[in-house]
Amino acid sequence: CWNLEQQGEQSPRLLEGHLPRTRQIELQLGNTCNLSCIYCGPQFSSRWAEITKDSDWTKITQNNIIEANQQRKEKVITWLLNSLSIKNPRRISTICITGGEPTIIEDFYKICEKLLEPGLTIRINTNLMCPPQKLDRLITLFQDLKNHGQTIILRCSIDGTDKQQEWQRAPSIWSQIVSNLEALSSVVDWIIVSITVTPLTLESFAGLSTWLNQATLPNLLIGQPSIVQDPDPLSPIPWYGVYREEIGYMVKLLESGKILPANPTIPEYF
């Protein structure tokens, strides 16, 4: 069994259910990213690593998944594909891909192009700033995956509109985000707007709520917000009273059903 597992294969002890079943796996492709969001850091953004000259989180190359070791990388890919295989009785049904920004990392495309067996749910965390030279490739990839029976969910980091988004998630461009969102909406199943709640984003709620309310995309939903609590200066909790009206506006839209907080077909972790 150990020899098989060291080679990236499924051993009898795994197939016979001696270990707890894992239904979901998260694959972090490194910190390669094209943004330096104000509440992020070098661990998840190569742009921040370059700005801060952080020696511990220097830019991870686009040809790296876990470490700069080609043999280990191939074993990881083999194990992953084996775990997602429909022939595997302990099959993992959901893969969550994060970065950095996955859509600018080459290994994202190399891995997804091999996910051809039907019935998988593929969730991609994205800042929607996929550059124009990669957008066509991304659309083609999603079309191929859907043709093979996969469910594609984009979890999009949007904390405001226009200049608020551009300032909080620099150097993003709001017009490009909206354009990419519209282009991708027809080739994915769900688009989940993910809000990171800090004192810096509370004032964005009114504008973002209005934009969500006016959006015409049928598969656009709002996900459960991520509330930052550490470090203390980035915790929004002491500021809730100050932005009572903005928060109240979004709550009213949620209660009216104009913004959908969830959907029966969407896994609970959204």
Side-chain angles (χ1 to χ4, degrees), residues 116-168:
L116 302 180
E117 297 189 68
L120 292 176
T121 295
I122 305 171
R123 189 193 80 183
I124 302 104
N125 287 11
T126 178
N127 58 32
L128 284 174
M129 279 296 294
C130 179
Q133 61 268 30
K134 285 188 177 291
L135 185 59
D136 286 343
R137 183 181 182 187
L138 185 63
I139 291 173
T140 299
L141 172 65
F142 287 162
Q143 288 174 330
D144 289 343
L145 289 172
K146 282 184 65 65
N147 289 339
H148 283 85
Q150 318 298 31
T151 298
I152 310 297
I153 299 174
L154 291 185
R155 189 172 185 270
C156 307
S157 299
I158 301 179
D159 298 326
T161 59
D162 297 310
K163 297 300 181 182
Q164 287 179 323
Q165 173 77 0
E166 293 175 354
W167 171 69
Q168 290 166 162

Side-chain angles (χ1 to χ4, degrees), residues 200-246:
L200 303 172
T201 59
L202 285 174
E203 64 177 352
S204 306
F205 274 18
L208 182 58
S209 299
T210 299
W211 176 75
L212 288 166
N213 188 32
Q214 295 173 349
T216 57
L217 302 178
N219 54 350
L220 182 66
L221 302 174
I222 183 170
Q224 183 176 357
S226 299
I227 301 177
V228 177
Q229 299 186 51
D230 183 41
D232 288 340
L234 283 180
S235 172
I237 296 174
W239 294 83
Y240 281 161
V242 178
Y243 294 102
R244 185 179 303 276
E245 291 185 7
E246 287 84 351

Side-chain angles (χ1 to χ4, degrees), residues 16-37:
E16 290 171 5
H18 291 170
L19 294 178
R21 183 178 181 184
T22 301
R23 301 189 63 181
Q24 175 181 313
I25 187 171
E26 180 173 319
L27 183 64
Q28 184 181 358
L29 299 181
N31 72 337
T32 299
C33 189
N34 50 359
L35 299 185
S36 50
C37 304

